Amino acid sequence: MGERFIWWKHGVFYQIYPRSFMDSNGDGVGDLQGIIQRIDYLADLGVDALWISPIYPSPMADFGYDVSDYMDIHPLFGDMATFDRLLTSAHEHGLHVVLDFVPNHTSDEHPWFVESRASRQSARRSWYIWRDAKPDGSPPNNWESFFGGSAWQWDEATSQYYLHLFLEKQPDLNWRNPQVVKAMHKVLRFWLDKGVDGFRMDVVTFLIKHASFPDNPILPNPANPDRTIQEHRYDINQPEIHAHLRQFRHIFDSYPGDRVTIGETWFMNPKELVSYYGKSLDELHLPFNFITLRQPWQAQAIRQAIHSYYAALPPGAAPNFVFGNHDVHRLATRYGVENHRSVALLLLTLRGAPTIYYGDELGMQDIQVPADRLQDPVARRKPGTDEGRDPERAPMIWDSSPNAGFTPAGVQPWLPLPENYPKINVLSQRADPTSTLNFYKRLLRLRRELPVLQRGDFDFVDQVPDHVLAYTRRMVGQHLLVVINFSGATIKLDLSSLEERAEVLLSTQDLEVGTIELADLTLQPYEGLMLKLL
Ligand code: GLC
């Protein structure tokens, strides 16, 4: 267990959605200078790395996930000099910086696409995926966009369809074209040369499509017998993707320091997920693990998800866990306010690199967005569904002043503030020892101080009732126990088979810590505990 501390393996990631973190120039949208202003907060919180969602020039059809220039900064967020200052400041504060790489698609306003669509003879025509219509004029196949509707958009001027697995304003690049590959490698090198510590790669499993574009199978929808769903068999997760990941990894490994490749890998099947580490661990360092995020908050379901994930991991692969991000509803909303601290306890004490989504450390909940203030294209395309992502993207709540210290009074923030911000904000929570913020800080401090939480072995404890999840973390000289009550009942446990006595290091409910007898362990409703076995 003499392994050194490797920041991306043992440290904690914190995701910043830059539009919503801190607005320094009063336009209602967060920016890079805003992040610089709040860097002390992030360092003090006790995280190790920042992952910043896209900051590049973009028409913002998908809020930055539609890039029109990969090697510049959107003026809304600042300029390259501000970015350089942010990188320096983060590094000076001991924080690594991970950017978002959006390789599957560009904006339709990217000069590459503008040129590609200009004519069938354009030198960049084959940088994107163009196909003729079927004889009846319909799209080349049945592929659906992940944001709804056909994935093919008809281009009147050149009489062909182009592929977009997301919005029609996000045409898919053709990764079978070596020129595209070369151009995107250049992008990675540009930022790595600047000293960026890594990339989270957006929908990286989508890059390669089946060479002959067959129809996807249509399956019955288990959730709704009147409807069908499309199995994404031919548009994503194609075997040829792995060669590209190895090339990415080769680039990253040629740089000094530990640079990290993270992938947005939405697989529920652990075997499929872990294939993205590569056969010789030569692909992604961290294929994001969303398996636990998709489970109901039930001890057995969560246990099974953790177990099957760990069991599938190839030897030497670094595990990771994600419970919240900018695409899913807020953690405190999904799991309930009574449980969200236990989710944090789980996230930060499992074996694997955790990612915290900004604001979850305050227990922020989903906001209600009135119809006339909807921003997310998904919300607008799928009205009446629960799929819109605005609710989890509310501005960060720094204090109780008008606009929560996110943007000056009188300015309309790009999304509404959470209604309860006058009570629940960074400033108020700082002053309250029982706050969620202080709970996270204690948890993060323990994780930093106790190498067993970063590197120790993990074992489930079996002799607990159904509504309890318990596990130990162990390394030479350090033995911890985590116990979480998923029910609203008080539960008494006898865990004396592990040890006689333990010291409570942290509780989701109480500040009180002390020594207890493990033969007589009481868990309050929904309580989670971290204990040190004595
Ligand atoms: C990823 C991003 C999401 C975006 C989509 C298309 O899933 O996380 O926010 O809309 O890719 O780029």
Side-chain angles (χ1 to χ4, degrees):
M1 275 290 154
E3 200 185 2
R4 72 189 166 99
F5 176 86
I6 300 173
W7 70 273
W8 58 265
K9 209 175 195 181
H10 307 122
V12 178
F13 290 87
Y14 183 94
Q15 181 191 355
I16 293 181
Y17 194 68
R19 295 181 67 88
S20 300
F21 196 63
M22 178 68 204
D23 172 19
S24 74
N25 64 352
D27 61 2
V29 178
D31 48 49
L32 298 181
Q33 183 58 32
I35 302 175
I36 297 176
Q37 286 172 9
R38 299 294 185 179
I39 210 92
D40 286 334
Y41 168 79
L42 296 163
D44 181 56
L45 183 61
V47 296
D48 300 275
L50 310 177
W51 151 34
I52 308 176
S53 286
I55 50 178
Y56 318 107
S58 158
M60 294 285 171
D62 190 19
F63 296 105
Y65 286 97
D66 49 322
V67 179
S68 53
D69 181 350
Y70 287 98
M71 294 194 273
D72 207 347
I73 302 291
H74 195 304
L76 197 60
F77 295 127
D79 56 19
M80 199 55 89
T82 324
F83 176 76
D84 291 340
R85 281 204 305 280
L86 168 57
L87 189 60
T88 306
S89 172
H91 285 165
E92 282 169 3
H93 284 77
L95 295 163
H96 293 82
V97 175
V98 171
L99 291 185
D100 220 308
F101 180 51
V102 190
N104 178 66
H105 43 266
T106 67
S107 161
D108 65 339
E109 295 180 33
H110 194 296
W112 297 340
F113 187 72
V114 173
E115 197 182 327
S116 180
R117 115 186 278 177
S119 93
R120 287 199 187 200
Q121 284 70 45
S122 153
R124 287 200 216 272
R125 186 67 169 179
S126 63
W127 279 48
Y128 293 83
I129 300 173
W130 292 95
R131 286 288 176 283
D132 290 335
K134 283 188 178 163
D136 67 355
S138 63
N141 66 23
N142 72 349
W143 293 1
E144 278 171 5
S145 150
F146 283 78
F147 287 167
S150 170
W152 297 96
Q153 176 70 25
W154 180 247
D155 182 58
E156 203 57 65
T158 58
S159 294
Q160 276 192 317
Y161 281 98
Y162 67 84
L163 181 74
H164 61 90
L165 290 181
F166 293 91
L167 299 176
E168 51 272 20
K169 283 190 69 61
Q170 293 170 297
D172 281 50
L173 280 162
N174 175 15
W175 277 79
R176 292 185 187 270
N177 179 339
Q179 287 175 301
V180 168
V181 177
K182 202 168 151 208
M184 294 305 263
H185 286 179
K186 193 171 154 202
V187 170
L188 290 173
R189 287 210 177 85
F190 174 82
W191 295 101
L192 290 168
D193 284 342
K194 273 187 173 292
V196 162
D197 299 289
F199 277 98
R200 172 265 189 189
M201 303 195 171
D202 189 68
V203 291
V204 72
T205 62
F206 289 31
L207 299 196
I208 296 284
K209 284 81 187 169
H210 193 287
S212 51
F213 292 84
D215 276 351
N216 277 327
I218 303 296
L219 308 173
N221 184 345
N224 184 345
D226 298 334
R227 311 209 33 185
T228 54
I229 46 170
Q230 178 161 120
E231 182 199 330
H232 291 278
R233 188 184 295 176
Y234 298 116
D235 49 349
I236 66 172
N237 192 24
Q238 301 300 300
E240 299 97 314
I241 179 66
H242 295 280
H244 287 285
L245 299 178
R246 285 192 288 275
Q247 289 179 13
F248 290 159
R249 181 61 179 266
H250 189 69
I251 293 174
F252 281 63
D253 286 350
S254 70
Y255 281 83
D258 292 313
R259 314 282 178 117
V260 70
T261 52
I262 304 173
E264 189 198 14
T265 41
W266 276 101
F267 295 109
M268 292 302 116
N269 176 341
K271 283 216 175 69
E272 223 163 16
L273 173 61
V274 304
S275 74
Y276 280 81
Y277 286 101
K279 287 210 176 72
S280 319
L281 299 188
D282 52 358
E283 296 181 23
L284 298 172
H285 291 95
L286 297 175
F288 261 154
N289 166 20
F290 298 111
I291 299 174
T292 29
L293 177 153
R294 281 284 185 241
Q295 304 309 312
W297 188 247
Q298 290 164 5
Q300 296 315 312
I302 296 282
R303 176 180 166 142
Q304 178 51 31
I306 297 167
H307 168 76
S308 58
Y309 174 64
Y310 282 156
L313 280 177
N320 75 86
F321 290 88
V322 182
F323 279 92
N325 67 24
H326 64 295
D327 293 326
V328 293
H329 291 314
R330 280 278 174 192
L331 193 148
T333 303
R334 265 182 302 126
Y335 299 102
V337 279
E338 68 282 17
N339 293 314
H340 72 102
R341 290 189 190 186
S342 289
V343 181
L345 177 66
L346 180 68
L347 172 67
L348 288 156
T349 59
L350 286 170
R351 187 171 68 83
T355 299
I356 298 173
Y357 183 50
Y358 85 95
D360 279 350
E361 75 277 22
L362 306 172
M364 273 174 79
Q365 289 172 261
D366 278 0
I367 50 162
Q368 304 274 347
V369 185
D372 62 344
R373 288 196 66 186
L374 285 179
Q375 298 281 353
D376 182 22
V378 175
R380 297 212 225 119
R381 284 168 76 117
K382 298 186 176 180
T385 71
D386 192 31
E387 292 180 42
R389 300 166 297 178
D390 291 328
E392 59 264 24
R393 297 177 176 177
M396 181 75 171
I397 42 183
W398 295 102
D399 57 41
S400 60
S401 68
N403 283 335
F406 165 73
T407 194
V411 174
Q412 169 146 302
W414 81 287
L415 275 173
L417 292 158
E419 271 171 19
N420 61 357
Y421 87 82
K423 278 205 187 123
I424 297 182
N425 55 62
V426 170
L427 208 60
S428 68
Q429 293 207 27
R430 239 187 215 154
D432 173 4
T434 67
S435 69
T436 297
L437 176 60
N438 280 316
F439 172 77
Y440 266 82
K441 282 171 80 166
R442 284 195 295 278
L443 187 50
L444 285 159
R445 200 177 54 231
L446 285 165
R447 201 187 143 92
R448 197 167 263 187
E449 284 169 0
L450 299 171
V452 65
L453 284 176
Q454 304 155 15
R455 280 163 274 177
D457 294 341
F458 175 99
D459 281 299
F460 287 113
V461 176
D462 289 326
Q463 62 273 39
V464 290
D466 275 358
H467 297 306
V468 174
L469 179 71
Y471 50 90
T472 58
R473 301 292 315 272
R474 189 201 283 264
M475 67 193 283
V476 180
Q478 293 183 35
H479 197 181
L480 299 187
L481 168 66
V482 175
V483 195
I484 297 173
N485 180 0
F486 284 61
S487 81
T490 302
I491 294 184
K492 287 196 178 295
L493 295 173
D494 177 355
L495 291 179
S496 55
S497 60
L498 292 174
E499 197 51 80
E500 224 171 275
R501 289 155 70 77
E503 181 192 335
V504 179
L505 298 179
L506 187 75
S507 156
T508 53
Q509 323 291 62
D510 281 332
L511 279 182
E512 219 175 283
V513 287
T515 303
I516 57 154
E517 303 288 327
L518 279 175
D520 188 20
L521 176 64
T522 303
L523 289 173
Q524 296 172 46
Y526 308 111
E527 186 175 31
L529 291 175
M530 192 201 306
L531 304 127
K532 180 175 165 193
L533 301 183
L534 298 174

